[in-house]
């Protein structure tokens, strides 16, 4: 943890990562940040005791650079970093849809690059971060990325060829659950419940179900069957979900998200 780590383009996810790293034992003096606005950088200094720097300064000083800018801004950032970045520095990309080859072609030959897809539950230390190695990244580089992102949740190594699927399933995943809660809340209102009570019922049910899935070791089918009595309320609801093609719609939705991730990787923006 004595190595210098720089977070470039420190927005909400970057700040969540900083906060988690400090709680996990990183010294604020070893953490550098860059931000588009000077006042944002000063805000981070005041809040966490980290050191604001410019992007070129981060490239020259940090042992590990975590790039958290938006995908459309990544090319410009790499152009700024490349003249100052030695080939022995680890570059970690958090940009959706951009392959490690994009970085390797623009940085010094041999630069190790690790690609990470995390998600917004990093804000509450419950992220799912999926990690893949570029051509020059070693097992040690992957372990270092796991140490960093493990500060805000769980990590999983996958081949880079599976990153688009992981983006569809996990990177975008929280939005699907929020959408489901929104729809179930509307249903609760239709059934006569006040919005706040419907919301509380659904959120706690979601938390309980998630903990059971994580901790029980049971298959979700088994857990669902435990709630589903013969000729009861749950099986009638499940029948309607199947009649309306909810399972097929979810599969189609995730395929669409995966395909969009591939389009972004190929440079297609619209």
């Amino acid at each position: 943890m004595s190595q210098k780590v720089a977070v470039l383009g420190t927005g909400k996810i970057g700040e969540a990562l900083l906060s988690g790293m400090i709680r996990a034992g990183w010294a604020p003096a070893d953490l550098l940040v860059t931000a588009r606005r000077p006042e944002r950088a000063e805000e981070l200094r005041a809040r966490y005791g980290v050191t604001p720097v410019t992007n070129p300064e981060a490239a020259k000083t940090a042992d590990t650079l975590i790039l958290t800018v938006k995908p459309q801004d990544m090319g410009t950032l790499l152009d700024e970093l490349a003249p100052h970045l030695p080939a022995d520095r680890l570059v970690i990309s958090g940009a959706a849809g951009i392959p490690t080859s994009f970085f390797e072609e623009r940085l010094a030959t041999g630069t190790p690059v690790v690609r990470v897809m995390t998600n917004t539950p990093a804000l509450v230390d419950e992220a799912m971060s999926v990690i893949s190695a570029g051509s020059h990244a070693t097992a040690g580089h992957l372990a270092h990325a796991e140490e960093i992102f493990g500060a805000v949740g769980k990590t999983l190594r996958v081949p880079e060829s599976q990153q688009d699927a992981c983006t569809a399933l996990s990177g975008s995943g929280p939005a699907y659950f929020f959408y489901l809660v929104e729809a179930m809340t509307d249903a609760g209102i239709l059934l006569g419940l006040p919005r706040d009570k419907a919301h509380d019922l659904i959120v706690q049910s979601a938390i309980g179900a998630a903990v059971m899935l994580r901790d029980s070791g049971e298959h979700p089918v088994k857990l669902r069957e435990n709630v589903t009595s013969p000729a009861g309320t749950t099986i009638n609801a499940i029948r309607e979900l199947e009649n309306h093609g909810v399972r097929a719609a979810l599969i189609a939705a995730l395929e669409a998200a995966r395909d969009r991730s591939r389009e972004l990787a190929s440079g297609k923006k619209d």
Side-chain angles (χ1 to χ4, degrees):
M1 293 187 186
S2 63
Q3 287 195 339
K4 294 283 188 184
V5 176
V7 180
L8 280 65
T10 313
K12 287 185 178 180
I13 293 296
E15 182 176 355
L17 194 57
L18 276 176
S19 177
M21 291 172 70
I22 291 170
R23 290 193 302 276
W26 266 267
D30 292 329
L31 299 176
L32 312 176
V33 296
T34 77
R36 187 187 298 272
R37 296 179 291 106
E39 57 269 28
R40 168 63 173 165
E42 287 303 317
E43 177 186 302
L44 293 168
R45 184 208 295 269
R47 187 174 297 166
Y48 301 106
V50 297
T51 304
V53 294
T54 65
N55 290 327
E57 287 172 340
K60 296 173 186 177
T61 308
D63 302 289
T64 299
L65 288 83
I66 306 171
L67 312 186
T68 63
V69 301
K70 295 178 180 179
Q72 60 267 31
D73 297 329
M74 192 62 76
T76 301
L77 176 61
L78 292 178
D79 289 342
E80 189 176 3
L81 296 176
H84 310 284
L85 187 66
D88 62 346
R89 307 297 167 83
L90 172 60
V91 174
I92 299 176
S93 165
I98 301 183
T100 56
S101 59
F102 180 90
F103 300 86
E104 292 167 349
E105 291 166 0
R106 289 163 175 78
L107 299 175
T109 302
T111 299
V113 180
V114 172
R115 178 176 171 183
V116 180
M117 168 50 60
T118 192
N119 57 17
T120 55
L123 299 169
V124 292
D125 292 347
E126 292 291 349
M128 182 70 250
S129 301
V130 183
I131 297 174
S132 301
S135 301
H136 309 293
T138 66
H141 294 129
L142 288 173
H144 187 48
E146 287 175 330
E147 184 182 20
I148 291 171
F149 282 85
V152 292
K154 187 175 181 179
T155 64
L156 179 69
R157 293 188 194 185
V158 300
E160 188 170 11
S161 61
Q162 295 177 1
Q163 275 279 354
D164 292 322
C166 292
T167 297
L169 200 63
S170 178
S172 300
Y176 313 146
F177 291 104
F178 298 147
Y179 181 88
L180 181 61
V181 168
E182 178 188 356
M184 291 178 69
T185 301
D186 288 345
I189 295 168
L190 180 65
L191 295 174
L193 291 171
R195 177 175 293 276
D196 60 341
K197 288 185 171 57
H199 177 82
D200 289 348
L201 286 166
I202 294 160
V203 169
Q204 184 56 40
S205 297
I207 292 169
V211 171
M212 289 179 71
L213 279 167
R214 185 190 64 192
D215 296 347
S216 70
E218 296 282 3
H219 193 281
V221 170
K222 175 64 174 175
L223 293 174
R224 178 177 60 77
E225 288 176 345
N226 290 342
V227 188
T228 309
S229 303
T233 59
T234 305
I235 192 62
N236 274 273
I238 296 295
R239 180 187 63 186
E240 289 304 311
L241 291 173
E242 294 292 352
N243 286 343
H244 286 82
V246 171
R247 188 186 304 265
L250 284 170
I251 293 171
L254 267 66
E255 287 179 332
R258 177 208 58 196
D259 293 346
R260 182 55 179 157
S261 183
R262 289 175 176 172
E263 289 174 352
L264 289 172
S266 68
K268 184 176 180 180
K269 304 303 180 185
D270 298 319

